[in-house]
Every structure is written in structure tokens, then in C-alpha cells.
Amino acid sequence: MKRRVVVTGMEAVTGLGNNLETTWDGLIEGKSSVRDLSEYLYDWCRSRIGCKPKGWKLGPNILTEKDEEISDIVALYAIDAAARTWRFHEWENNKLYNYDPHRIGVILGNGSGGMASARKIHNRMQEKLGAKIGPYLLVGYLGNCIAGKVSILLGAKGINYTLQSACASGTHAIQMAYNEIAYGKQDVMITGGCESTIYDECLDPFYNGKAITNNNDPETQPRPFDKNRSGFVAGEGSGILILEEYEAAKARGATIYAEIVGHGATADAYHIIIPDKEGHGLAKCMELAIEDANISPDDIGYINAHGTATKRGDVAESLAIQKVFGDYKVPVSSTKGAIGHLLGGAGGIEAIFSIMALYKGILPPTLNCDDPGFDLDIVRYKGREADIKYSMSNSAGFGGSNGVLIFKKV
């Protein structure tokens, strides 16, 4: 029999704020973090806007100055959020809860690894043929070392890896972390996603593929589910969750934000970049998650959509939602309008938003959706109060990867 798995900690770093509280408040108020990022980009990069944490720096007393210096920024985003939620819930050094550290694991999602470290390696090789590349630059580039650094920081000696499945990475990481606890192999998991991709060599290929918007006006972009959408806007940051077995969390009087009750994963098996135009893969994924949760579609009170504002992606997801929910108009929003698309880290922060919708009784809005082009109940402009029992978070990535999570109010 599966054990129940609950969320007992959450933290975030986003363009809207350097913690979850500021991020959530800005999101509900309808604020956007999209801004001109030319200061970070070469003149030849045609994508000029994005959502980068502003004034962010690693929290105090987390890493030594040397450790921070040799860590890629993508790892620092994850480390910061993980350390703050761990300390907030008094898990530091595992003093209060007597868990076996070998049953505390870390599974994170990331799409691109440490791009800052990769750029440094490239630049050194360009400057001098045969230049020596130190080992810390190498591990800064390797995606699995993101989870490794978090485990070292928190003393988590259980399962440890970083999962990469493009823009579904964060969601898949949470699914795998859930399974570790549900099937009794771990008791506590640190999970979620992180990403840092505001680099010319990442943005320009997306621009060329018409995935990123060609409109560099930060006041009007991106436009999820709008008739005039033209592509996503890149975002950076992290969304980290602590999962715990329900009975143990209840016994120690933990704050329980939500329970994970269902998840699904599928492949479109259609095209390496383009989603299935009819949305069959994502529709099946939602159906599997609903079946896993042992509920009906009309029990879902809110969907945090993948909603990238791409021409084809929004069509596929809209059709998928209509296939699964039929005449029931479930409220839907895409929070990428406010924080951009964190790519491999998107599933982590969007899972947190889906949980906060349950916990706070407010559905986050979709920005810049002035002329909806789909037959959906889109939450627009500002948050909508709603007392709901279940929420759903959708993710879809290059390669045809789909992931869905369902959360229940506790």
C-alpha cells in the first residue's frame, strides 16, 4: 500500500521576488517581472527581454565565500531556496526530527545544467588552445551536481540526482521524489526545479525557432492563451519543495500545505520540438493523473497550465484540456506571464503556485491575455478567490515529454 505524501516546505527565487512570499504577493496582484535584459546580452542577440531575479544574492551563512565562488548560479538558486525552507522549518542539522539522513533524498529538475560554467570553459578554450580547465568548472556545468550540492548542504544522504526532461523536468522530479516516499524508500525528499538560461547562446536558438517572442516590449509580453501571442519570455530562478510522509509530518505538528494525490507522465511520440497538434499526449497525461488520484475531472478546481504563449503549444494544451474536461470549464491560468518560462525549472515553481492556490484560496492570474483565443475559463489580470479541493499542474517539454501533478487540500 502506498504511503501518503505531503508538502511541508516551499521556497522560491523568481523575477517577482527573492522569496516565495514576495513572489506570491506580486503574482496575485498581477505584477510582471519582465524587463529589458540588454545589460546581460551581446548586441547580436535578438531576444532582449526576460525575467531575471533582481537584486538577488545568496542568503547569509549558507555557503562559504569560496564555495559560493565555485558554484554555478543555477545551483545557487536551488541552494538558496532549499536552505531557506529547510531552516524555516527547523530541519537544519536534522536536530529536531531524528530522521535517518540516509532516508532524506534530493531529486531536482533542470534543463540546461550550469550554462555560466559552460560559457567560462568555452571562453578559456577560445582564449588559449589547450588551456587547463579546473574540476570545479566541470562540476559547475554538470546538472547532477546541483542536487549534489544541495545534499551536501543539508546533510541528505539518501537518493540524489538531477533529472533532465526539458521543460517537464521540475514536474518529473517531484513525481520521482513522491514515489520514493510513497513506496517506502525515503522519508523526506527535497525536490523541485531550477534554471538559469539568460544567455545569448540559449536565447537566440529559441528565437530562431520562433519559440521565444520576437516582440521585445516588456510591457506586453508574453501573452499566454491570447490571440496575439508570439512566444515565451525566458525566466530564471528556482522553486523548491520539501515532501514528507504524512503520518510523520502530522505526528510532529508540521505545517502541511497540500497532499500529492496523483501524477501522470506520457510522451507525444510526435516531433522532437513541436507538440502533438491535437494535444493527445498531454490529454492522456492528465487522464492518468486524475485516475491515479481516484477522482473525477470536475473535482479539479484549478489548472496551472504549461501555457508558454507559443503559437502551437497553447493550441495543443487548450485542446487537451477540452478533451479531458469536456463541458466543465475548469479555471485555468498560465503564471509564465508574470515570471517567464523557467524551462527545466518551471515545474517546480508552478507546482508551488498550484499548492498556494489551495492553501490560500486564491487562483493566480494570466497576464497580457487581453483577447483570449480559446474556449477556456482563463483567470486573467488579478487573482480570483476560490475555495477549491484539488489543483493540477501541467508541464510539457521538447522531446514530447509531458508531466502532470495533482494536489489536494489538507
Side-chain angles (χ1 to χ4, degrees), residues 186-256:
Q186 305 280 275
D187 295 321
V188 179
M189 292 296 301
I190 299 93
T191 188
C194 56
E195 195 71 277
S196 175
T197 55
I198 308 293
Y199 303 97
D200 315 80
E201 51 267 55
C202 180
L203 300 187
D204 217 49
F206 280 122
Y207 186 100
N208 293 335
K210 299 181 180 180
I212 278 183
T213 179
N214 59 6
N215 185 332
N216 285 312
D217 178 9
E219 299 296 323
T220 63
Q221 300 303 315
R223 309 185 69 81
F225 297 114
D226 188 86
K227 286 181 180 178
N228 296 312
R229 67 195 182 282
S230 56
F232 74 82
V233 168
E236 287 191 355
S238 64
I240 303 296
L241 305 87
I242 295 176
L243 310 187
E244 192 175 351
E245 190 272 323
Y246 170 72
E247 294 297 340
K250 183 180 177 183
R252 70 176 183 83
T255 298
I256 296 175

Side-chain angles (χ1 to χ4, degrees), residues 308-342:
T308 56
T310 57
K311 290 287 187 180
R312 297 188 182 189
D314 285 9
V315 171
E317 186 167 17
S318 175
L319 291 173
I321 291 170
Q322 292 173 46
K323 289 178 193 296
V324 175
F325 291 90
D327 293 334
Y328 168 49
K329 300 297 183 189
V330 56
V332 175
S333 68
S334 169
T335 45
K336 290 180 175 69
I339 64 166
H341 187 3
L342 270 65

Side-chain angles (χ1 to χ4, degrees), residues 11 78 106-110 146 161-163 168-175 177 189-195 237-243 344-352 405:
E11 253 303 348
V106 182
I107 300 177
L108 298 177
N110 170 262
I146 301 170
Y161 62 87
T162 303
L163 185 155
S169 301
T171 294
H172 286 158
I174 296 168
Q175 292 177 345
M189 292 296 301
I190 299 93
T191 188
C194 56
E195 195 71 277
S238 64
I240 303 296
L241 305 87
I242 295 176
L243 310 187
I349 186 62
E350 289 165 11
I352 290 174
L405 288 160

Side-chain angles (χ1 to χ4, degrees), residues 92-131:
E92 189 175 13
N93 299 323
N94 201 23
K95 289 177 180 177
L96 296 183
Y97 306 124
N98 200 33
Y99 276 113
D100 179 353
H102 292 93
R103 293 180 63 82
I104 302 175
V106 182
I107 300 177
L108 298 177
N110 170 262
S112 305
M115 292 197 69
S117 298
R119 173 180 272 192
K120 288 178 183 177
I121 292 172
H122 174 78
N123 288 345
R124 287 190 186 179
M125 297 293 285
Q126 290 290 98
E127 290 166 7
K128 181 181 178 181
L129 186 64

Side-chain angles (χ1 to χ4, degrees), residues 130-143:
K132 290 184 178 179
I133 306 299
Y136 289 112
L137 269 184
L138 175 62
V139 298
Y141 168 66
L142 297 175

